Structures are given as structure tokens and as C-alpha cells.
């Protein structure tokens, strides 16, 4: 399946260091390139295992400190506002993940940001903006047309009856977006 995705974000906050390292080793042994792996929050695990990068959260070390200590890591940050996005871009983030864009079962009490807000954020920063939340193959083109550099998918693939087919559908939608733009 990794042929159809650009990155695999390991986001299991309850897992031990051993669980994370074992999973990374298993993924690598099964052919997933290390440059496709992004570790959530755990800068130490990302550095020690040689994965491509780390996705920082509100609980994480400051982006500038991570970039200074681990310059080889690509550093992404989760953001929910324009001010967060511009602040983190100025302080060294390599990319941001912005959302949630559309309604999603994981954020039922929060109003979606919408594609207009996504476009506003994308115009304010010079780094890639990855859209997250409620993204489907049917709305990928709309998201990309509003400034996203890519999309982050969780339930759209993991909860699909056929995960491989779902990943292929997202890849096809992204390919169509590249042609349209």
C-alpha cells in the first residue's frame, strides 16, 4: 500500500518506546522506506530510528529547538489558526497540518474550518499546508484548489472495507488535482 501514499504518520500516543521502535522496524522490514515515516510528537524516537520526520503537537518541544537539535528531521506542526501557522512557519516548521476542514466523526463538537479558511492559511505561509479532517476522494480536488499541498487521511483509509482500494482512490484524486491545477 505504501506505493500510494507519500508519508505514513505513526500516531499511537499510548504505545511504549519499544512498541514504536518495533513497528518502525517491522514497517522497514516489509519494504516501507524510512523516508516515508513521520513520528508523532516523539522527537527522540524519530531521531533514534532514522525516520523522515516528526509531527509536533501542542505538547511537544518548540519547533525551533527541535530544528536546532535535530536538523536532519523534517518537522511538521499541527495548527488550527492562521496565527499558529505563521508563527510556526517563522520558527522553522517544514510543513503544517491544518484542519479540520470538513465535518468528521472525530471532531463532532467542533465546527469545521472549511476550504476558505484553508486558503487563507495557505496564502499566509510559504511552507506546505496539509489539509486534514473529513477529506474524501470526492473533495480532494476542492481542497487542493484552495491551497493545500496535500491531504492527511486517517479513517478514510483505515476504516475502509478495502484499505488498498481506498489508498488508490485518494492517490488517483490527488493525481487528477495535479492535472487540474
Amino acid at each position: 500500500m505504501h506505493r500510494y501514499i507519500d508519508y505514513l504518520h505513526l500516531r499511537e500516543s499510548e504505545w511504549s518506546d519499544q512498541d514504536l521502535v518495533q513497528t518502525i522496524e517491522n514497517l522497514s522490514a516489509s519494504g516501507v522506506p524510512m523516508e516515508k515515516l513521520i513520528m508523532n510528537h516523539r522527537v527522540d524516537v524519530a531521531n533514534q530510528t532514522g525516520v523522515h520526520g516528526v509531527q509536533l503537537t501542542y505538547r511537544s518541544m518548540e519547533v525551533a529547538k527541535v530544528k536546532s537539535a535535530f536538523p536532519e528531521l523534517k518537522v511538521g506542526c499541527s495548527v488550527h489558526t492562521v496565527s499558529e501557522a505563521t508563527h510556526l512557519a517563522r520558527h522553522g516548521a517544514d510543513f503544517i497540518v491544518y484542519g479540520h476542514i470538513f465535518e468528521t466523526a472525530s471532531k463532532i463538537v467542533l465546527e469545521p474550518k472549511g476550504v476558505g479558511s484553508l486558503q487563507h492559511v495557505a496564502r499566509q505561509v510559504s511552507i506546505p499546508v496539509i489539509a486534514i479532517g473529513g477529506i474524501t476522494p470526492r473533495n480532494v480536488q476542492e481542497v487542493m484548489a484552495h491551497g493545500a499541498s496535500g491531504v492527511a487521511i486517517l479513517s478514510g483509509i483505515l476504516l475502509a472495507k478495502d484499505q488498498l482500494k481506498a489508498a488508490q482512490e485518494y492517490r488517483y484524486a490527488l493525481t487528477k488535482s495535479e492535472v487540474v491545477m
Side-chain angles (χ1 to χ4, degrees):
M1 177 179 337
H2 75 83
R3 293 187 317 266
Y4 302 105
I5 62 171
D6 294 320
Y7 298 101
L8 177 61
H9 182 170
L10 301 172
R11 191 179 174 187
E12 295 297 333
S13 61
E14 301 301 316
W15 286 8
S16 69
D17 291 358
Q18 290 176 333
D19 293 334
L20 292 168
V21 170
Q22 187 63 57
T23 298
I24 292 166
E25 289 173 352
N26 290 346
L27 287 167
S28 179
S30 69
V32 177
M34 294 300 273
E35 30 311 321
K36 285 194 172 193
L37 299 179
I38 303 289
M39 183 74 241
N40 197 65
H41 176 65
R42 296 298 306 279
V43 177
D44 55 339
V45 174
N47 180 59
Q48 289 300 309
T49 59
V51 300
H52 179 73
V54 63
Q55 175 73 17
L56 302 179
T57 70
Y58 69 93
R59 303 177 310 153
S60 300
M61 192 182 333
E62 292 176 24
V63 65
K65 289 181 180 178
V66 174
K67 291 297 288 183
S68 176
F70 307 102
E72 69 286 353
L73 284 177
K74 293 296 180 192
V75 179
C77 299
S78 299
V79 301
H80 300 95
T81 67
V82 173
S83 61
E84 287 177 326
T86 57
H87 172 80
L88 292 166
R90 278 194 315 271
H91 287 89
D94 295 301
F95 63 95
I96 57 172
V97 177
Y98 178 75
H100 67 287
I101 305 304
F102 300 109
E103 287 185 20
T104 174
S106 65
K107 305 267 192 226
I108 55 176
V109 298
L110 298 174
E111 187 75 23
K113 305 286 186 197
V115 292
S117 179
L118 167 66
Q119 185 170 40
H120 183 65
V121 168
R123 288 181 175 169
Q124 300 302 311
V125 297
S126 60
I127 59 175
V129 177
I130 309 302
I132 192 169
I135 312 291
T136 67
R138 290 183 305 282
N139 62 27
V140 164
Q141 285 185 339
E142 179 182 11
V143 169
M144 299 300 286
H146 282 85
S149 300
V151 295
I153 310 300
L154 180 61
S155 59
I157 293 176
L158 291 180
L159 300 181
K161 290 180 185 173
D162 184 339
Q163 294 173 344
L164 178 59
K165 182 179 178 189
Q168 291 169 330
E169 289 172 354
Y170 279 101
R171 174 52 64 194
Y172 178 71
L174 282 166
T175 303
K176 283 179 30 182
S177 294
E178 291 169 4
V179 173
V180 171
M181 295 177 72

